[in-house]
Amino acid sequence: MQEILSTLPQVLLDGLTLGAIYAVVALGYTMVYGILELINFAHGEIFMAGAFIGTALLFTFVDIGLALNWLTLILVLLLASLLTGVLGVGIERIAYRPLRKAPKLIPLISAVGISFILQDLVRFIAEYKTGNYIVTGQTVFENKIAIPAFSIGGYDVHASAIKSNTLVVIGIAVLIMIVLDIFVNRTKWGIAMRAVAQDRDTAALMGINVNKVIALTFFIGSAIGGATGVLYAQQYATINPFIGFILGLKAFTAAVLGGIGNIRGAMFGGLLIGLLEVFAAANLGILTGGALGAEYKDVFAFIILILVLIFKPAGLFGQAVKEKV
Amino acid sequence: MKKLASLFSSSRTFQSVLILLIVLCTSTSLYLMDKSVTSFLLLLFSFLLLYYTTFSNWIKWGAGALIAFAVIPVAASGGPSQQVYMEVAVMAGIYIAMALGLNIVVGFAGLLDLGFVAFFALGAYVYGIFASPQAQALFHNSSIFPLGGESFWLFIIVGALVAALFGIILGVPVLRVKGDYLAIVTLGFGEIIRIVFNNLDKPINITNGALGISGIPQPKLFGFTFTQASHIYFLVLIVLGFVIYAVRRFEDSKLGRSWKAIREDEIASQAMGIPLVKTKLWAFALGASFSGMMGVLFAAKNQFVDPTSFTLLESITILVMVILGGMGSVPGVILGAAIISILNLQILTEITLFLTQNLHVPEVFSPAKMQRLLFGLVLVGIAIFRPQGLIPAKNKTYKIADLKAKLSKKNTKTKETTTSI
Amino acid sequence: MSMLTATSITKHFGGLTAVKDVSINFEKGSITAVIGPNGAGKTTFFNMITGIYSPDGGEIHLDQKPITGLKPNFIAEKGIARTFQNIRLFKEMSVLENVMVGMHTHLKAGFLGTLFSTPKVRSEEEQARYDAYSLLEYVGLADWVNHQAKNLPYGAQRKLEIARALATHPKVLLLDEPAAGMNPKETTELTDLILQIRDDKQITVILIEHDMKLVMRISEQIYVLDHGQLIAQGLPEEIRNNPNVIEAYLGKSAISV
Ligand SMILES: Nc1ncnc2c1ncn2[C@@H]1O[C@H](COP(=O)(O)OP(=O)(O)OP(=O)(O)O)[C@@H](O)[C@H]1O
Ligand SMILES: [Mg+2]
């Protein structure tokens, strides 16, 4: 107990950071699933592509002698989201749109395929440019803010430290979520998106350009996924082409946990999964008396995933929808 | 080209002559030359031609067995690369059997399983642990362990059963979830199994962790040890033959029809009296058991297992085989698995070797590293342009005249039973 | 003697009550129609009987035995078969196979028997094939045996659904808008087929149908649903002149009786 408590501030901070990342990636899954009923396996890879694009841009900036500060970071974020947004739209156009009427298995297979293609393309480019597909990038904010040790109620709490970047990650993630929430609920296009998600045919009859709305959904989902990739690279410095797959899977869990198609739910699910995972990584060893260590944190996350899908497929807040016969 | 195709389908003499010619030429050149990948591939191509001949099934199977059991091993034995060819053939056989197993799950029952390799791993580890000295570490100084190579034959069945059991244990909760969620759940399960095998060296050392288990015995029978790939080859052929036979039996049976019905429409299937979970469980268990069996063979052949053989990429590789060949199509899946495994094991490495050694192309460009790209392209390409795969699945057809004739004969014999429908 | 009874069954979807407190008794060997305007809850009523939805209240009995809330496959096994309003055939399978799937509960082939292809399993399969074929003859689809179900013309698909349902050897057959999309000639054939099914096999037939000519011709009893509630019941002539029914149709929808 003492041990768990003493590291709690650090665990909460790290969990919140990771959770914020999961939450924003989960938004992309939830938006696409809401509108197409498709698990966009490639979304994790779009996130990963964002991380690589951001890293590449920062390297270029350094090369041409630009100073790295918050302005450059914002520039990088915007450019990376633009590119990943376009990437997402392209993927939809090429690999999903022709399959809208196909049996459900087929677009899923196409999605897995795209995900593999992106992994390998990025691996190839990274390896070609740097000789190694594992890349360590430039960090814009490197200083740390220390939180001193203290004790409450007789428990000693260890000192913890926040990278100033952590604040940036959480801040931007929250900003993205707020803006998206307003967009979806208040704007004309956001309402069109919800209409298409609810009933594509009726929406089309009402004069909504369904293809445009779907493309827009992919653009927004992918753009914010890409931006999160940039933040991830800033936070954890080292990236590789395979970070997107597992992270995407966890983000998808988050989306399901919050009720798939439910944007606010996805944010909540992301934070929850992030916190649980970091908590498990820090404390599994303590809780199991050393039998299972941090290497089981992914197993832990997958077990949550499986349990959620089996017992709460409609999410923590949602109601099960029955297929109409 | 068209003319040739029509000539091929119309004349049996032409068919026999062509196949005989190909088999003769390729096997002699394979026998005489040190290394000729082309003739090896062309020899394998004769199977495909055989499939498209119009001979009766008995003749096709007979000729196929002759080529597989006699021509290929003899032809390959002519040069120093004998074991290389046999190695490729063994792996291709293992993959074909696994792809046929996955085809039951994905192709027949329509359940997308992205963690199929987990069952392969189970089979491999079951034999690996109990037949190797690893078992001694596990059961301190027990005199029974290790079981040794004689136990291989038993483990082929044990591997199948253990994998089937896990398929059921996994399936009972998991098969209730919606189709696309199943893909995610199985993917998660595949990763869990791999991570667990990777870390089960503590608290008790069961799998020896990332180091893997070595010293796994080769199969032994009446004092003979199957040491070479060319020995294992015959084992693989026999197991593969059994797998093909079994799949064929189930395809057009009560169970096979229920699988396909569930794939087409779950609600209508239930309304016809088909229990969903039970039927899906059979698909899971049977598919898994093939995979488990092949895992035992794999472990015995390599004498070594470690978690890196059972990654997500492996699962996707098997999926690619099924999708490329044609979901639900047995000949298609065999073709798909043969193409992908030979591509993977031989063609890509050959091209890579050629590029890096002869043309001095930098290593980044080596196609052997680009499996993911290649498989991704296959998946997307097939999904968009040819979802039914290379050889589309065919429904069994019946001669209406036969049905009618037999029916009227039956009707006159036992009037009540048939009219009471 | 009653074959199937629904006792005040109810179904809600969120705030909507699709079926409210409906009680109907279906006599053995009768042909009964359930009619009502679009969205009245007719299909939902069928879905509860066949176990696809379980009712939120009330009970269902088949042959005096309770079947409320059982899974659809058990209900099929107990003797209720159905067709679907939006055709649900096994599209990629052949016509013959579609019917053979309907025989599922009556085939005994087990795992090992299938694997080793025992004589018993083989002869059972053969028998099933003939039975399926003769059912196809019965509904007039004998020429389509080897076609893929999805390639059949619309009217033939509806007939195939009936053949598939008959293959389960039902005591009760539920037909959800069997004549939808059929031309007049096909509808006449269908009418004859339904009568024949009842007469040959003593099957209790319940149908949902918007084609009033067909309904009036073959049903012995008619029940009318509107907004989930039973608003009328009686013989065809009674229903034809019932003011409530006329209002339900003419007042709320454009379909004329
Ligand atoms: N699974 C479901 N989820 C939500 N609402 C449903 C569901 N199934 C049916 N409903 C609603 O219940 C009401 C009754 O539907 P039902 O299909 O039973 O009508 P119906 O009488 O068969 O109409 P029709 O003649 O158009 O077939 C409708 O308002 C419908 O939208
Ligand atoms: Mg209806």
Side-chain angles (χ1 to χ4, degrees):
Chain A
M1 188 61 205
Q2 166 63 47
E3 261 178 287
I4 294 176
L5 199 76
S6 63
T7 55
L8 201 59
Q10 190 72 57
V11 165
L12 284 178
L13 272 173
D14 293 348
L16 222 55
T17 318
L18 192 60
I21 289 170
Y22 287 162
V24 185
V25 179
L27 291 175
Y29 279 106
T30 232
M31 286 164 73
V32 168
Y33 198 94
I35 216 156
L36 283 185
E37 280 208 22
L38 167 73
I39 301 176
N40 181 12
F41 275 102
H43 189 61
E45 273 61 44
I46 288 175
F47 158 86
M48 176 273 294
F52 272 87
I53 291 172
T55 307
L57 283 173
L58 281 172
F59 273 130
T60 320
F61 285 181
V62 172
D63 279 351
I64 57 174
L66 272 180
L68 296 186
N69 53 31
W70 59 272
L71 251 177
T72 31
L73 182 63
I74 287 180
L75 190 61
V76 168
L77 278 170
L78 288 178
L79 279 173
S81 14
L82 185 71
L83 289 173
T84 49
V86 171
L87 179 64
V89 172
I91 290 172
E92 191 273 328
R93 185 69 194 81
I94 294 170
Y96 302 153
R97 195 180 298 180
L99 302 175
R100 271 195 216 149
K101 293 217 166 55
K104 252 185 136 180
L105 211 65
I106 306 289
L108 221 54
I109 286 166
S110 186
V112 174
I114 290 288
S115 153
F116 266 57
I117 292 175
L118 287 180
Q119 283 178 13
D120 221 23
L121 279 181
V122 172
R123 180 200 58 80
F124 174 75
I125 296 170
E127 214 170 318
Y128 182 63
K129 288 274 183 201
T130 68
N132 189 347
Y133 63 79
I134 300 171
V135 177
T136 303
Q138 300 280 344
T139 331
V140 179
F141 299 101
E142 290 195 89
N143 50 324
K144 286 186 174 178
I145 304 164
I147 300 174
F150 60 94
S151 66
I152 29 167
Y155 288 116
D156 291 327
V157 175
H158 290 186
S160 48
I162 320 178
K163 286 197 233 172
S164 50
N165 192 60
T166 304
L167 298 177
V168 175
V169 171
I170 296 179
I172 294 180
V174 169
L175 190 72
I176 289 177
M177 294 190 251
I178 292 173
V179 171
L180 185 72
D181 198 73
I182 293 173
F183 174 82
V184 171
N185 289 307
R186 304 278 169 78
T187 65
K188 185 182 121 188
W189 281 104
I191 292 168
M193 259 163 69
R194 286 192 294 150
V196 174
Q198 221 157 62
D199 187 336
R200 201 185 302 162
D201 296 334
T202 311
L205 287 176
M206 297 297 157
I208 295 175
N209 185 336
V210 172
N211 280 337
K212 235 188 209 163
V213 170
I214 291 177
L216 181 71
T217 309
F218 269 85
F219 182 83
I220 295 174
S222 307
I224 62 179
T228 323
V230 177
L231 296 178
Y232 180 94
Q234 284 298 303
Q235 180 74 8
Y236 301 105
T238 303
I239 52 176
N240 71 62
F242 310 111
I243 51 171
F245 204 85
I246 297 296
L247 189 138
L249 218 59
K250 292 175 187 163
F252 181 78
T253 315
V256 176
L257 202 62
I260 197 121
N262 179 343
I263 290 181
R264 288 179 195 176
M267 302 176 195
F268 172 81
L271 291 177
L272 189 63
I273 297 278
L275 283 168
L276 279 174
E277 180 183 328
V278 174
F279 183 81
N283 298 320
L284 262 180
I286 303 169
L287 291 174
T288 59
L292 308 175
E295 62 274 14
Y296 283 96
K297 76 178 196 322
D298 280 350
V299 172
F300 186 73
F302 286 134
I303 288 177
I304 294 177
L305 165 77
I306 293 176
L307 292 179
V308 169
L309 288 177
I310 293 169
F311 295 107
K312 279 267 167 209
L316 292 176
F317 322 109
Q319 262 191 340
V321 209
K322 274 224 156 187
E323 188 183 351
K324 270 197 191 182
V325 183
Chain B
M1 194 62 215
K2 242 198 182 124
K3 243 188 195 158
L4 213 64
S6 77
L7 180 62
F8 183 81
S9 60
S10 63
S11 156
R12 282 200 183 163
T13 332
F14 181 70
Q15 291 167 7
S16 339
V17 171
L18 186 70
I19 288 178
L20 221 62
L21 220 65
I22 289 181
V23 171
L24 266 175
C25 291
T26 54
S27 51
T28 359
S29 68
L30 192 60
Y31 188 80
L32 295 177
M33 280 194 263
D34 272 2
K35 193 166 185 210
S36 161
V37 177
T38 329
S39 31
F40 181 58
L41 292 181
L42 275 172
L43 182 53
L44 294 182
F45 178 69
S46 63
F47 283 113
L48 188 64
L49 276 183
L50 196 63
Y51 169 73
Y52 280 113
T53 58
T54 52
F55 290 105
S56 78
N57 275 341
W58 285 111
I59 298 181
K60 283 191 203 178
W61 281 111
L66 190 72
I67 299 176
F69 275 96
V71 180
I72 292 180
V74 172
S77 70
S81 334
Q82 178 197 11
Q83 296 309 332
V84 177
Y85 292 124
M86 287 290 115
E87 174 85 22
V88 171
V90 164
M91 284 315 291
I94 289 178
Y95 276 116
I96 291 173
M98 275 206 282
L100 285 170
L102 184 61
N103 181 48
I104 294 179
V105 181
V106 180
F108 291 163
L111 309 165
L112 189 53
D113 184 345
L114 297 181
F116 193 64
V117 81
F119 302 117
F120 185 54
L122 278 167
Y125 268 98
V126 164
Y127 182 65
I129 291 170
F130 290 101
S132 76
Q134 177 70 17
Q136 264 170 330
L138 198 54
F139 309 97
H140 300 283
N141 332 316
S142 157
S143 56
I144 326 167
F145 295 108
L147 291 172
E150 294 85 3
S151 69
F152 170 84
W153 316 99
L154 178 69
F155 269 95
I156 286 273
I157 296 165
V158 172
L161 290 180
V162 168
L165 188 72
F166 260 80
I168 292 172
I169 292 174
L170 170 74
V172 167
V174 152
L175 288 172
R176 282 162 218 276
V177 308
K178 271 198 330 188
D180 46 358
Y181 285 5
L182 184 70
I184 294 274
V185 175
T186 50
L187 203 162
F189 175 71
E191 283 296 289
I192 289 178
I193 288 273
R194 189 182 58 78
I195 297 173
V196 168
F197 281 153
N198 202 20
N199 291 297
L200 261 192
D201 47 352
K202 58 182 188 305
I204 321 165
N205 185 356
I206 299 175
T207 63
N208 209 21
L211 295 176
I213 299 173
S214 46
I216 300 172
Q218 294 164 322
K220 251 193 208 129
L221 190 66
F222 305 128
F224 177 77
T225 312
F226 293 69
T227 50
Q228 302 287 326
S230 53
H231 303 154
I232 304 269
Y233 172 80
F234 290 99
L235 292 182
V236 170
L237 271 190
I238 292 168
V239 177
L240 178 61
F242 169 77
V243 166
I244 294 177
Y245 164 86
V247 172
R248 277 293 188 203
R249 282 284 157 269
F250 282 104
E251 190 181 8
D252 287 304
S253 70
K254 174 189 173 188
L255 192 55
R257 282 191 299 272
S258 328
W259 288 332
K260 291 182 223 167
I262 283 181
R263 174 190 71 194
E264 300 292 314
D265 192 321
E266 293 198 351
I267 288 175
S269 314
Q270 276 187 298
M272 293 302 122
I274 295 173
L276 283 192
V277 174
K278 195 176 145 195
T279 308
K280 289 181 184 177
L281 273 180
W282 272 119
F284 244 55
L286 205 61
S289 69
F290 292 170
S291 203
M293 243 180 332
M294 293 339 260
V296 175
L297 258 166
F298 177 77
K301 180 191 80 85
N302 282 3
Q303 299 176 266
F304 174 72
V305 287
D306 77 340
T308 57
S309 307
F310 311 108
T311 57
L312 174 73
L313 182 62
E314 282 303 295
S315 288
I316 301 292
T317 306
I318 307 169
L319 181 70
V320 170
M321 296 171 175
V322 174
I323 307 285
L324 175 68
M327 282 185 277
S329 154
V330 173
V333 169
I334 294 176
L335 177 68
I339 291 179
I340 295 292
S341 47
I342 291 170
L343 195 75
N344 236 347
L345 296 165
Q346 197 151 34
I347 301 178
L348 287 185
T349 41
E350 292 287 332
I351 297 176
T352 304
L353 221 61
F354 178 74
L355 286 180
T356 45
Q357 289 187 350
N358 298 23
L359 302 182
H360 304 289
V361 174
E363 212 215 334
V364 231
F365 289 100
S366 78
K369 278 185 148 182
M370 298 195 193
Q371 284 173 348
R372 282 168 190 264
L373 180 67
L374 204 75
F375 292 168
L377 288 174
V378 171
L379 288 177
V380 177
I382 291 275
I384 293 176
F385 298 111
R386 204 177 159 82
Q388 73 275 36
L390 291 180
I391 306 180
K394 270 193 303 207
N395 288 320
K396 199 163 180 174
T397 56
Y398 298 95
K399 286 211 183 77
I400 296 187
D402 280 1
L403 290 169
K404 205 177 257 174
K406 292 223 177 94
L407 188 64
S408 53
K409 208 164 76 193
K410 267 225 163 68
N411 273 348
T412 49
K413 255 198 277 178
T414 50
K415 196 120 195 159
E416 303 91 290
T417 49
T418 42
T419 47
S420 70
I421 30 135
Chain C
M1 204 181 80
S2 73
M3 188 70 221
L4 179 73
T5 47
T7 321
S8 48
I9 55 174
T10 298
K11 182 75 198 173
H12 310 285
F13 292 114
L16 174 94
T17 307
V19 171
K20 192 176 172 196
D21 215 9
V22 169
S23 302
I24 304 182
N25 181 29
F26 301 97
E27 291 296 320
K28 184 164 193 237
S30 64
I31 297 180
T32 313
V34 177
I35 63 170
N38 290 110
K42 306 177 296 288
T43 301
T44 306
F45 179 69
F46 270 22
N47 284 341
M48 284 191 281
I49 292 178
T50 49
I52 287 168
Y53 300 153
S54 71
D56 295 324
E59 278 167 25
I60 304 165
H61 288 82
L62 175 70
D63 239 355
Q64 275 75 38
K65 287 187 238 20
I67 57 165
T68 328
L70 288 184
K71 282 213 182 132
N73 51 305
F74 290 124
I75 291 182
E77 225 169 287
K78 290 192 185 305
I80 300 181
R82 71 174 291 177
T83 66
F84 295 89
Q85 177 174 358
N86 46 344
I87 298 176
R88 283 177 172 271
L89 288 170
F90 308 122
K91 294 197 186 86
E92 302 285 331
M93 297 170 78
S94 77
V95 168
L96 192 78
E97 281 173 329
N98 265 272
V99 180
M100 287 175 81
V101 171
M103 299 177 168
H104 182 87
T105 53
H106 300 281
L107 300 181
K108 303 208 167 41
F111 180 79
L112 290 178
T114 306
L115 182 59
F116 297 114
S117 189
T118 56
K120 220 162 117 196
V121 169
R122 247 179 297 158
S123 79
E124 181 187 73
E125 273 287 302
E126 206 176 336
Q127 183 66 43
R129 220 150 41 224
Y130 302 140
D131 290 352
Y133 176 74
S134 69
L135 268 174
L136 287 172
E137 259 186 350
Y138 188 78
V139 301
L141 293 177
D143 296 334
W144 296 93
V145 172
N146 291 319
H147 287 251
Q148 272 187 329
K150 66 174 179 194
N151 294 335
L152 257 54
Y154 196 75
Q157 294 198 4
R158 290 225 172 264
K159 284 186 192 162
L160 178 54
E161 273 214 333
I162 296 179
R164 184 180 69 176
L166 287 176
T168 67
H169 301 252
K171 297 177 191 160
V172 181
L173 177 62
L174 308 183
L175 305 172
D176 197 344
E177 305 199 12
M182 283 190 172
N183 61 34
K185 181 173 160 276
E186 285 174 322
T187 308
T188 317
E189 284 171 16
L190 178 75
T191 314
D192 295 340
L193 178 64
I194 295 173
L195 287 168
Q196 208 186 335
I197 287 171
R198 193 269 306 269
D199 295 343
D200 290 353
K201 303 172 198 289
Q202 300 308 310
I203 291 175
T204 309
V205 179
I206 307 168
L207 73 154
I208 294 172
E209 191 45 72
H210 285 299
D211 182 333
M212 284 308 140
K213 224 175 103 212
L214 189 156
V215 169
M216 293 299 162
R217 227 196 100 194
I218 60 173
S219 32
E220 287 142 12
Q221 276 284 318
I222 297 177
Y223 290 84
V224 189
L225 288 182
D226 186 30
H227 287 93
Q229 280 173 302
L230 195 60
I231 58 163
Q233 67 182 79
L235 304 173
E237 307 82 68
E238 295 168 355
I239 295 299
R240 203 195 299 268
N241 304 317
N242 186 319
N244 285 341
V245 178
I246 295 170
E247 192 205 303
Y249 273 91
L250 295 183
K252 303 191 171 84
S253 117
I255 299 166
S256 58
V257 181

